[in-house]
Amino acid sequence: MAIKELVEGGVAITQAMGVTFKHLLQKPITVQSPDWEPIAVYPRFRGRHELRRYENGLERCIGCQLCEASCPTGAIYVEAAENDPENPVSPGERYAKVYEINLLRCIFCGACQDACPTEAIVLGHNYTLANYDRRDFLLTKEELLNPPEPNVIIRAEE
Amino acid sequence: MGERVTITIDGKEYQVPAGITLTRAAEMVGIDIPIFCDHPRLEPVGACRQCLVEIETPRGTRLTTACTTPVSDGLVVHYNSPRAKAAREATLEFILAHHPLDCPICDKGGECPLQDQAMKHGPAESHFIEEKTHKNKRHPLSDLIMLDQERCVVCWRCIRYLEEWEFKPQLGLYHRGGETVIDTHPNRPLAAKTSGNIIDICPVGALTNRVARFQYRPWSWGPPSRTLEPVPTVCVHCSLGCNLQVDVRTHRVRRIKARENSAVNDMWICDKGRFAQGFFHSEERIRQPLVRENGELRPATWDEALQRVVDGLYRWAQENPEAVGAMGSPKVGNEANYLLQKFFRLMVDTNNIDHRWGGDVLADPRGLSAVEAIHQADVIVLVGVDLAEEMPVFANFYKRAVRRNNAQAFVIHPRRTEDADFGTYIPVLPGSEALLLNALMALMVDQEPFAAQTRRLPGGRDFVTWVKEHRPEDISALVGVSQETLEALARTLAEAQRPLVLYGPDVVRGFQAEANRAALDNLELLLGKDRVAYIAPDANSVGARDMGVLPHRLPGHQDVTDAEVRERFRRYWGSEVPEEAGLTYQGMLEAAADGRLKALFVMGADPADEGPWAEEALKALDVLVVQDVFMTRTALLADVVLPASTYAESDATFTNVERRVQRAPRAFRPERDSRPDWAILVDLAKRWPIREAGESKRKGRKGKRARRSPQARWNYTRPQDVLREIARVVPQYEGLTWDALGEGGRQWPTDRVARPRRFVQVTPRFQAADPEYPYYLVAERFLFDHTKMTRTTEELHHVLEPAVVRMHPEDIYDLGIQEGSTVEVVSRHASVALPVQADERVQRGTVAIAYSLPGSPAEALMGPEGPGVMVAVRTTGPAPRVVNILD
C-alpha cells in the first residue's frame, strides 16, 4: 500500500517538475515594462489623457466643458475664461483656464474624446499610471498638454 | 379677460381670449409655434418670419406670420400643413445660413431658442456650402454686455425692449440686408439701468453677460457637484424684491438672471441685481472672526470671539441693560432680524433695537398695496422718491403706466429726476413737502369727492378750516411752484379713479417728518385707502419692521408699551419683555456719544458711515461688536468682528415693498469660516449665562419668574424653525411656512396694522434762512452707489455714480467758478471737498450729493439732522478735471 503511494507520488512530482523544467528553458512572457521594453498596443487603446495643440501652438481646447458633461464618473473639471485678443491661448474667444482629470475616478471609457468638438482631449497610449501619492492622480492642464512619451509599439489593427 | 373667440388650428377648435395674437393663442392651447422676434412682453413686429402659418382668407389660403395676426372669430389656421412646414423650415435654414454654429463656446448654448427650434423645426441639413458672412464676434455694447454680430438674427427684441420698457432708444440697426447689425448710436452709450434684460430676451447667443462670461454652461446635466444649479431666489438691492435665478457651480455664483414673477418684477431685473455678483466671493470678505487685542484686530476662533461678545454684553446687561443697544439690518432676512431683537429683548433686557432708517423714519408699515397698483393707476404722484435710480424695474412700470396707460404723473422732488421727464415736475425743497401738500389739500378740500370725505371722516371739519390757512398763493411763492400747477394737480386728483401717491424715506425723516407724514396720511384719507404708499428703501426694510427691529414695536407692529401685548410675548417667549420704548438708530449713536450707551451690537449695518460724529460716538463705546460680510468702517472700530455670510449662503425670507414675503434659499455653502446671521445669534443665545431661578434679569427689580430659562426656547436647527416661530408670533405672518411661500411668495394682509382713520393737524415747521449756510443739501440714493455690494464687481466701476457735488449751472456761474473745480461744502456737522458738476436737473439754491459715495460726504454733511440740512459752498484752490462717466 505504502509502496504504491510512494510510486504514484514520485510520478506526480516528476510530472509537475516537468512543467517547471520545460518553462525554465522557455523565454519569459513578462515584459520589463515600463523602463526597459516597449509594449505593443492597438491604435484605439485608451490610456492616459492628453490635450492637443494646433500646429501654430494654440491649444485646441476651447473650454466648452462638453467632456465634463459627458463624463460618466465626474472625473473632469473645466473652468473656462476669455482669451486676451492680443495673446490668445486658443482660437476664438474662449479657452480652458483650468482643466483637471482625476485618474482615480476615470474609467477610460473615452466619452470625453467622443464629445470633444475640437479633438482636443484624447486618450493616449500611455498606460503607466502608477503613482506614489494619491494627489498625483489629479492631472492638471499643464500635465495634460505635455504628456510623457509612452514607451509603446503601436501594433496594427487586426 | 372678457370676450372669447373661436379659432380653428389644424382642424381643431379652440376658445381663446379676443384681442391677442395667434402666437399667444397657440401658446395657451399648447401648440408650439417657433418664434424669435415675437415676445410676450413686446409689441409684435414680424421681423424674423419664423412663425409662418397658413390662414384661410376669402381669396384662398395664404402664408402669414402668426405673431402679427390677431385672433378673430372663425379664424382657420393650418399650422402643420406641408406648405406652412416647408416655409418654416426654409426660414430656419436662412436664419442659420450665416449663423456661426459656435455653440460649444456660446454662453447661450443649452438654453438657446435657436438651438431648440433648429432641432425641432429645422431641416436636418443646409443647402448652403458657401463661406458664411463674417462680422465682429466681439463687439462690446457696454462694459456689461457683449454683442456677437455673427450670431444675431436681427429680431429687434433688444431694440424694442429699450424702446417699449425703458423708453430709451439706445440701440438701432445699421447697414442693410445680410450686412445688418445691431449697434449703439454714435456718442449715445447703452446706459439704461435695466439694459441687462436684453441678454435674457435675446433668442440667440448674440447678447451675453460680460460679468458672467464663460463662467458657466446653462446645461443642467453632468455630475451633481459640477452641474450648474439654478437657485430661485430674490434680489437684495432694493425693496422691490425682484425674483432672481442665481446659477451656482462648485459653490460659486456664476451668473444671475431674472426669474419670472408676474406679481413682482414680471420678467425684468435691473443691472445692479444682474451684474453685481462680485460681492459673494469677494477677496474683501471677512472670512474669520477677529478680536481686538492691544488695539489691533487679530484673527480668532469662533469660540473665542463668541465668548468675548457674550462676556462684553453680559457685563453691561448686568450693570445697566439700557446701556446696551443692537442694530439690525434691512439687508438681512427676517429670521436673523427676528432673532436679533428676541436676543436683545429677552437676554439683555433692552428695547434699544433699531435698524438704519427704521425708528427714525415715520414709515407706514403697509407699504405699497401691490406692485400691480402702478399698472392700474391713472394718476401717479411721486413725493421725494426717485424710482429711476432707486428701483429701476419699478420705474419702468411707472414709465409704461404713463406712456401706455395714459396715466398722469406728477413728480414732487428736490431734483428734476428722470421720472419727472414723464410727467409734471413740481420742485420742492427738502423738508418743505408738508407745506406743499397742505397747500394742495387746501385746494382739494373744496372739490367733490374730497369734500365728502372731510364731512364723513372724524376730524374732517376742523381739518378743512386748518388746512385752508395754508394758502396756496403764499406757499407757491415760498417753495417756488406755481399755483396753477397745484391747481392742476388738485383737479387731476379729483377726477382720478385710481390715484397713487408714493413717498420715500427721506420725506418722513428729519425735522419735518411728523408734519410730512401727517400731510400724507391726510392725503390718504382724502384719496382713499391704499392710495398713498410708503416706498421702503432696502430689500428687507419692511421685514425688519415686521420683525420688531424697532425700539417701540414688538414683532407685528405691536406697541411695546402696551402691557397686554407684552404679556402675550411673555407667554410666547417665556420671559419678560422690557417695558419702555428704547433708543432709535440715531438715538443710540447720540447716546453713545454722551456715554449713555456702552455696548453696541451691529448686524449688517455701518453706522460709522453716518459721518464723523457717528464715528466719534462709536469710538466712545466700551463694547462694539460688528457682524458683517465686509470690513466696514464700523467693523474697523469694533472690538469683535463676526464674519457673517451673505444672504445666498443660508435660507432666509425677505419682505418686499408690497409686503410680499419671499424665499431666498441657500445657494452655496458659507465662505470659509463665515456663518449665517441667524446661526451666530443662536450660538450667542446658547452661550448666554443662565440665571439662577428666581433671580430677576435686572438688579434690584422684582420680576416674575421665568418658567423656563430663555435658552430653552432657542432650539433652532434651521432658519425654517425660526420662520415657524415668526408665523406664530407675528399676527400678519400667521400660517406662513417655507413651503407655503412657494417660489412666488405671499403678501401679508394689511387689516392687522393701524392705518390713518382721522384727520390730524400737524403744523409744518419753518426753517429760518441762515445767511451762513445759504444752500439746501439734496441727498439722493443712486442705483450704482459705492457700497461694497457694487464696488466688488469690477465691470461696474465705470457706471458708478461719480463722486461730485451737483449744482445748477447758474449757481456755479454765480460762485465764479468753473465746472470741475473742487469746492468745499460745509454744514454744521462736517465739511467735504468735492469737484462740482453742472446739472440743470438740480434746482437753484440746492446742492445735490449722492448717498454712499466714497467717504459718505452726504451722510457726513447731514449729521444727525437728516434731510433739510443747510450747507455753504466755498471755493478752494485750482480745478482738477472731473472724470466724465461717459468717457
Side-chain angles (χ1 to χ4, degrees):
Chain A
M1 216 35 184
I3 293 175
K4 193 186 171 201
E5 277 179 13
L6 199 68
V7 173
E8 281 177 359
V11 171
I13 288 170
T14 316
Q15 276 176 343
M17 292 310 287
V19 174
T20 307
F21 286 118
K22 196 175 94 195
H23 282 274
L24 205 62
L25 301 171
Q26 279 177 5
K27 215 178 152 207
I29 53 171
T30 306
V31 180
Q32 291 299 321
S33 168
D35 298 332
W36 303 326
E37 287 173 60
I39 196 169
V41 296
Y42 289 107
R44 61 177 186 272
F45 179 82
R46 299 196 292 264
R48 182 187 179 276
H49 311 68
E50 295 171 10
L51 276 174
R52 296 245 195 92
R53 289 177 188 273
Y54 290 105
E55 277 112 33
N56 61 7
L58 289 178
E59 289 169 16
R60 278 178 171 266
C61 179
I62 50 172
C64 74
Q65 301 169 359
L66 279 164
C67 48
E68 184 183 304
S70 70
C71 181
T73 59
I76 307 180
Y77 171 57
V78 185
E79 279 296 340
E82 191 172 355
N83 266 324
D84 174 7
E86 303 297 306
N87 198 10
V89 178
S90 66
E93 293 161 272
R94 185 178 177 129
Y95 77 100
K97 189 172 69 181
V98 178
Y99 196 113
E100 287 172 2
I101 293 181
N102 185 346
L103 289 180
L104 296 176
R105 280 192 172 199
C106 180
I107 55 167
F108 298 93
C109 67
C112 49
Q113 63 179 2
D114 289 350
C116 186
T118 59
E119 296 177 12
I121 186 78
V122 288
L123 294 173
H125 294 130
N126 190 345
Y127 58 88
T128 60
L129 302 172
N131 265 319
Y132 290 104
D133 192 329
R134 294 177 74 87
R135 248 167 290 177
D136 293 337
F137 287 103
L138 204 72
L139 295 183
T140 61
K141 190 178 157 196
E142 216 38 51
E143 290 169 303
L144 288 162
L145 278 168
N146 307 301
E149 193 61 43
N151 191 11
V152 292
I153 302 162
I154 313 290
R155 67 163 76 166
E157 290 277 5
E158 280 158 12
Chain B
M1 294 262 165
E3 213 187 324
R4 295 181 86 81
V5 292
T6 308
I7 59 167
T8 312
I9 303 176
D10 285 342
K12 229 177 130 187
E13 283 193 1
Y14 300 97
Q15 292 276 327
V16 293
I20 59 172
T21 63
L22 190 50
T23 41
R24 294 285 85 74
E27 217 171 71
M28 277 179 191
V29 301
I31 294 170
D32 164 46
I33 298 182
I35 48 173
F36 291 117
C37 69
D38 188 38
H39 190 274
R41 300 293 186 273
L42 302 174
E43 294 291 314
V45 61
C48 72
R49 319 309 286 174
Q50 187 55 60
C51 59
L52 288 171
V53 292
E54 263 188 298
I55 59 167
E56 282 183 11
T57 69
R59 286 176 291 167
T61 62
R62 170 167 84 81
L63 276 175
T64 188
T65 47
C67 69
T68 55
T69 308
V71 291
S72 55
D73 212 21
L75 181 73
V76 180
V77 183
H78 301 289
Y79 171 60
N80 267 326
S81 68
R83 190 170 157 221
K85 264 180 114 163
R88 286 196 300 271
E89 280 193 11
T91 309
L92 202 49
E93 198 180 333
F94 271 123
I95 285 176
L96 288 172
H98 290 296
H99 191 82
L101 294 176
D102 53 354
C103 305
I105 62 159
C106 177
D107 271 347
K108 196 83 172 187
E111 55 179 17
C112 175
L114 181 57
Q115 273 186 332
D116 296 346
Q117 289 172 17
M119 298 303 282
K120 227 179 202 167
H121 303 281
E125 51 196 60
S126 174
H127 291 84
F128 298 103
I129 50 160
E130 295 82 2
E131 174 83 353
K132 297 194 177 206
T133 311
H134 289 292
K135 297 177 189 166
N136 194 353
K137 283 190 74 64
R138 199 181 178 285
H139 186 82
L141 292 180
S142 69
D143 282 353
L144 304 167
I145 302 171
M146 183 68 86
L147 168 66
D148 184 326
Q149 294 176 333
E150 284 189 0
R151 290 182 195 149
C152 177
V153 297
V154 202
C155 71
W156 307 19
R157 275 189 187 182
C158 47
I159 298 175
R160 286 183 290 152
Y161 172 77
L162 291 168
E163 286 174 3
E164 294 172 21
W165 287 84
E166 271 283 359
F167 299 94
K168 286 181 180 167
Q170 292 172 341
L171 286 178
L173 291 174
Y174 287 85
H175 308 299
R176 290 180 185 201
E179 304 288 314
T180 313
V181 289
I182 304 274
D183 206 347
T184 51
H185 303 301
N187 301 321
R188 301 242 326 254
L190 176 58
K193 295 277 188 294
T194 66
S195 66
N197 287 321
I198 63 176
I199 299 168
D200 282 353
I201 59 172
C202 181
V204 295
L207 297 168
T208 48
N209 182 331
R210 288 188 76 183
V211 178
R213 196 162 158 86
F214 299 151
Q215 287 188 41
Y216 65 98
R217 309 274 23 215
W219 321 311
S220 51
W221 42 292
S225 63
R226 301 286 160 71
T227 196
L228 195 70
E229 194 192 343
V231 183
T233 186
V234 291
C235 180
V236 290
H237 293 300
C238 83
S239 58
L240 187 57
C242 292
N243 287 215
L244 300 181
Q245 175 185 317
V246 172
D247 290 336
V248 178
R249 179 176 182 254
T250 62
H251 293 284
R252 284 184 80 85
V253 172
R254 300 303 176 125
R255 171 184 64 163
I256 299 172
K257 63 182 278 195
R259 182 163 64 90
E260 189 173 341
N261 185 341
S262 54
V264 184
N265 56 317
D266 203 355
M267 47 204 298
W268 318 118
I269 57 173
C270 76
D271 286 2
K272 189 171 175 182
R274 180 184 308 270
F275 297 112
Q277 67 180 57
F279 71 93
F280 289 116
H281 309 286
S282 164
E283 285 302 308
E284 294 177 51
R285 269 188 66 175
I286 316 169
R287 287 186 164 80
Q288 54 190 332
L290 306 170
V291 296
R292 193 169 291 279
E293 198 175 83
N294 304 328
E296 295 285 319
L297 283 172
R298 64 156 173 85
T301 61
W302 269 105
D303 245 10
E304 187 188 356
L306 288 173
Q307 202 51 50
R308 279 273 290 264
V309 176
V310 169
D311 290 348
L313 293 178
Y314 189 72
R315 189 155 44 83
W316 281 106
Q318 291 297 87
E319 191 135 322
N320 174 17
E322 245 87 276
V324 186
M327 289 178 180
S329 174
K331 289 173 191 278
V332 169
N334 289 326
E335 289 75 6
N337 274 313
Y338 173 81
L339 290 181
L340 179 86
Q341 60 87 28
K342 185 176 171 184
F343 177 83
F344 279 87
R345 289 205 158 108
L346 298 194
M347 308 290 194
V348 180
D349 199 26
T350 179
N351 273 326
N352 295 337
I353 298 155
D354 200 4
H355 60 281
R356 187 175 194 226
W357 295 5
D360 299 310
V361 176
L362 301 181
D364 188 316
R366 289 169 301 159
L368 197 59
S369 60
V371 169
E372 214 185 12
I374 197 132
H375 298 301
Q376 293 157 352
D378 52 1
V379 177
I380 303 167
V381 184
L382 305 178
V383 186
V385 58
D386 180 358
L387 297 178
E389 289 291 346
E390 290 168 23
M391 343 168 72
V393 172
F394 194 57
N396 285 355
F397 297 162
Y398 156 80
K399 294 181 206 169
R400 255 175 101 88
V402 174
R403 291 284 166 89
R404 298 263 157 157
N405 302 347
N406 295 321
Q408 291 204 57
F410 294 86
V411 178
I412 303 174
H413 199 282
R415 196 178 66 101
R416 188 187 285 270
T417 58
E418 192 187 306
D419 304 337
D421 300 348
F422 291 79
T424 312
Y425 174 57
I426 302 177
V428 68
L429 290 168
S432 45
E433 292 88 352
L435 295 173
L436 195 144
L437 291 173
N438 285 339
L440 171 69
M441 285 188 283
L443 292 166
M444 284 166 73
V445 288
D446 284 337
Q447 304 184 38
E448 261 327 313
F450 308 130
Q453 289 288 75
T454 57
R455 285 193 295 274
R456 197 171 64 82
L457 293 167
R461 277 172 214 287
D462 295 342
F463 174 71
V464 172
T465 342
W466 174 80
V467 82
K468 281 195 175 164
E469 288 163 20
H470 299 81
R471 301 193 320 152
E473 51 272 30
D474 299 344
I475 302 293
S476 56
L478 200 69
V479 296
V481 54
S482 76
Q483 201 182 334
E484 290 77 55
T485 317
L486 280 183
E487 274 164 9
L489 175 53
R491 213 169 33 248
T492 317
L493 284 173
E495 285 159 12
Q497 299 297 309
R498 292 171 306 278
L500 186 63
V501 181
L502 308 175
Y503 63 97
D506 269 357
V507 180
V508 283
R509 74 186 192 107
F511 77 99
Q512 200 69 293
E514 285 85 12
N516 283 350
R517 174 67 197 278
L520 288 157
D521 281 352
N522 291 335
L523 192 61
E524 181 174 2
L525 291 175
L526 291 177
L527 293 174
K529 183 173 163 269
D530 292 338
R531 295 282 173 226
V532 178
Y534 169 65
I535 299 297
D538 288 306
N540 205 24
S541 289
V542 175
R545 285 175 182 277
D546 296 346
M547 293 304 115
V549 184
L550 288 172
H552 59 304
R553 293 278 183 267
L554 283 163
H557 306 282
Q558 305 185 68
D559 195 343
V560 75
T561 55
D562 185 339
E564 211 172 288
V565 167
R566 282 204 311 278
E567 174 57 23
R568 202 166 340 124
F569 276 92
R570 195 186 63 79
R571 280 204 303 277
Y572 289 141
W573 287 341
S575 191
E576 295 284 338
V577 178
E579 288 166 23
E580 302 84 20
L583 298 167
T584 64
Y585 179 87
Q586 204 157 305
M588 280 190 260
L589 290 174
E590 282 163 14
D594 53 32
R596 281 177 291 137
L597 195 80
K598 288 294 180 188
L600 183 63
F601 186 93
V602 179
M603 176 179 85
D606 191 6
D609 230 19
E610 306 292 338
W613 71 280
E615 216 164 342
E616 287 308 311
L618 293 168
K619 280 183 191 156
L621 286 166
D622 182 49
V623 180
L624 175 61
V625 183
V626 172
Q627 172 177 321
D628 210 316
V629 175
F630 288 107
M631 223 39 211
T632 57
R633 278 165 77 178
T634 314
L636 290 172
L637 303 173
D639 298 299
V640 184
V641 181
L642 304 174
S645 45
T646 63
Y647 81 105
E649 287 154 72
S650 164
D651 290 345
T653 59
F654 285 77
T655 309
N656 82 349
V657 68
E658 52 153 14
R659 309 174 317 281
R660 182 177 295 273
V661 188
Q662 303 193 97
R663 296 196 306 204
R666 179 185 137 125
F668 57 96
R669 67 174 174 225
E671 284 272 315
R672 269 248 324 259
D673 275 352
S674 73
R675 301 191 54 206
D677 291 293
W678 70 272
I680 300 173
L681 289 162
V682 170
D683 265 10
L684 286 176
K686 291 205 166 144
R687 281 168 185 267
W688 196 256
I690 296 173
R691 270 181 220 93
E692 298 296 315
E695 187 195 335
S696 165
K697 282 193 283 187
R698 283 172 198 239
K699 276 185 188 169
R701 194 186 77 173
K702 278 197 177 170
K704 271 187 203 163
R705 249 166 110 165
R707 273 173 298 179
R708 281 197 286 165
S709 76
Q711 276 87 351
R713 310 254 168 142
W714 286 79
N715 282 329
Y716 311 105
T717 49
R718 305 181 308 152
Q720 281 82 351
D721 298 341
V722 187
L723 185 64
R724 203 172 305 126
E725 185 175 319
I726 292 170
R728 217 157 46 83
V729 173
V730 182
Q732 294 84 2
Y733 286 57
E734 201 180 329
L736 276 192
T737 60
W738 184 261
D739 293 327
L741 286 176
E743 294 200 345
R746 251 171 57 175
Q747 277 183 289
W748 57 258
T750 50
D751 49 6
R752 299 181 90 162
V753 287
R755 64 181 171 89
R757 294 193 187 269
R758 58 174 299 130
F759 286 100
V760 284
Q761 300 165 17
V762 181
T763 310
R765 289 162 55 181
F766 282 88
Q767 219 173 354
D770 186 344
E772 208 179 319
Y773 299 105
Y775 292 92
Y776 277 90
L777 173 69
V778 176
E780 265 195 284
R781 288 183 297 134
F782 282 86
L783 184 67
F784 293 112
D785 54 21
H786 289 251
T787 56
K788 296 262 185 200
M789 300 280 270
T790 36
R791 232 169 7 144
T792 39
T793 302
E794 216 173 284
E795 287 85 349
L796 288 172
H797 282 192
H798 280 243
V799 295
L800 292 185
E801 206 46 42
V804 294
V805 46
R806 290 194 174 83
M807 291 180 76
H808 193 274
E810 288 175 30
D811 277 348
I812 297 180
Y813 181 82
D814 287 350
L815 280 172
I817 51 170
Q818 295 272 311
E819 189 185 359
S821 49
T822 299
V823 294
E824 202 186 346
V825 186
V826 190
S827 75
R828 283 185 195 86
H829 311 286
S831 146
V832 298
L834 286 171
V836 67
Q837 195 180 56
D839 187 350
E840 284 185 356
R841 290 178 175 273
V842 177
Q843 283 187 69
R844 291 209 62 177
T846 66
V847 297
I849 304 177
Y851 281 124
S852 303
L853 290 180
S856 311
E859 290 87 339
L861 288 170
M862 255 186 202
E865 263 183 78
V869 170
M870 308 294 293
V871 294
V873 179
R874 293 183 195 143
T875 52
T876 53
R881 206 176 69 84
V882 182
V883 181
N884 189 345
I885 51 164
L886 305 186
D887 281 347

